[in-house]
Amino acid sequence: MVFRVVAIGIAVIVAVAPTIGVVVEESADAEASLIQRTRIGIVYRFGPSFGYTTATDNGPSRVQRFRIPDTFAIGASVRVRPQLVLAVEATHIAYSMVERDFVVDQALDAGRVGDFRVDDGTEIHVGAQYTWTRFRALPRLRLGSWFDPNHSVGFRPSEPAATVPDRIFDERLATALSRGTNQVHVTGGLGVTIHRRVELNVGADLAKHQTRVSTSLIVR
């Protein structure tokens, strides 16, 4: 008889991500003009940082940090009819922050720091919500789409390979890091008011390489 002991460890890392935003509210008057029924919002989120240690065979270990990209977004929604709301948002994400810290650190030992790159990206979100004004018990319908720019780590040799090992290295990295593409997502969801103070939402995000489903519960 063989006994095996399995150890399970969980590491929890917590960091603060400050978020600053402002919203200009729409008018509550259903007879107001289209401009008065528009809501505009701006938000900036500072990405948190996490420290880590890199151990190498060529020298002493290095203490580095992994930074979550900062995000800046601006959006607007307009109630074109009492039951229909349209929304649009543009979100700029500083993915290059990952390159300046984490990616550069990983490329130091290979001496190819300048050959790896992560580009910033701007997401574009559009959506609509329809509310059954005469049938409050029915769920609100939501449909949208958004553009997800390629933000994978890319490999671009700064100069032609001079040796066979360098050519093999370039071919291997160019193949391994060339699969990132832009994606267009389709989203949909339902919102149900369970009570005047309780709201349940369910949503799905569909893209070529992934599917996500999420829920949220709002208690006022």
Side-chain angles (χ1 to χ4, degrees):
M1 183 176 293
V2 178
F3 293 92
R4 292 187 175 90
V5 178
V6 179
I8 300 177
I10 299 176
V12 179
I13 302 176
V14 179
V16 177
T19 302
I20 301 174
V22 61
V23 174
V24 180
E25 295 286 349
E26 63 184 11
S27 172
D29 185 2
E31 301 299 325
S33 67
L34 198 62
I35 294 179
Q36 291 174 320
R37 286 183 275 126
T38 299
R39 173 183 296 174
I40 299 175
I42 301 174
V43 63
Y44 191 93
R45 185 185 66 190
F46 297 88
S49 298
F50 302 94
Y52 68 94
T53 301
T54 298
T56 68
D57 297 331
N58 302 327
S61 59
R62 301 188 298 270
V63 177
Q64 302 290 341
R65 64 175 179 170
F66 183 91
R67 298 182 64 190
I68 305 299
D70 290 352
T71 301
F72 174 76
I74 181 170
S77 66
V78 57
R79 187 175 296 277
V80 294
R81 299 177 63 184
Q83 65 269 37
L84 180 62
V85 176
L86 303 180
V88 62
E89 179 190 80
T91 303
H92 182 79
I93 305 176
Y95 291 114
S96 59
M97 295 172 63
V98 180
E99 173 194 339
R100 293 196 297 268
D101 296 311
F102 180 73
V103 175
V104 167
D105 174 60
Q106 301 301 299
L108 280 175
D109 292 338
R112 306 292 293 271
V113 171
D115 296 346
F116 295 88
R117 184 173 181 83
V118 183
D119 295 326
D120 292 343
T122 300
E123 299 176 355
I124 304 297
H125 303 244
V126 294
Q129 173 179 276
Y130 187 88
T131 303
W132 306 91
T133 54
R134 294 186 179 180
F135 306 97
R136 296 291 183 179
L138 293 178
R140 291 175 295 281
L141 305 180
R142 294 160 181 157
L143 183 65
S145 180
W146 64 284
F147 171 74
D148 185 10
N150 176 26
H151 49 271
S152 303
V153 179
F155 177 74
R156 306 168 189 172
S158 55
E159 56 185 34
T163 65
V164 172
D166 287 343
R167 286 198 296 271
I168 295 175
F169 180 90
D170 289 356
E171 291 175 2
R172 179 162 55 88
L173 269 294
T175 301
L177 300 178
S178 64
R179 300 186 179 184
T181 59
N182 298 331
Q183 291 192 73
V184 175
H185 297 240
V186 177
T187 61
L190 301 173
V192 181
T193 301
I194 302 174
H195 183 269
R196 64 188 181 88
R197 295 182 180 272
V198 181
E199 178 181 324
L200 176 65
N201 301 283
V202 179
D205 184 318
L206 308 178
K208 183 177 180 181
H209 301 296
Q210 64 183 12
T211 298
R212 296 179 180 176
V213 179
S214 61
T215 62
S216 68
L217 180 67
I218 300 175
V219 179
R220 297 182 176 85

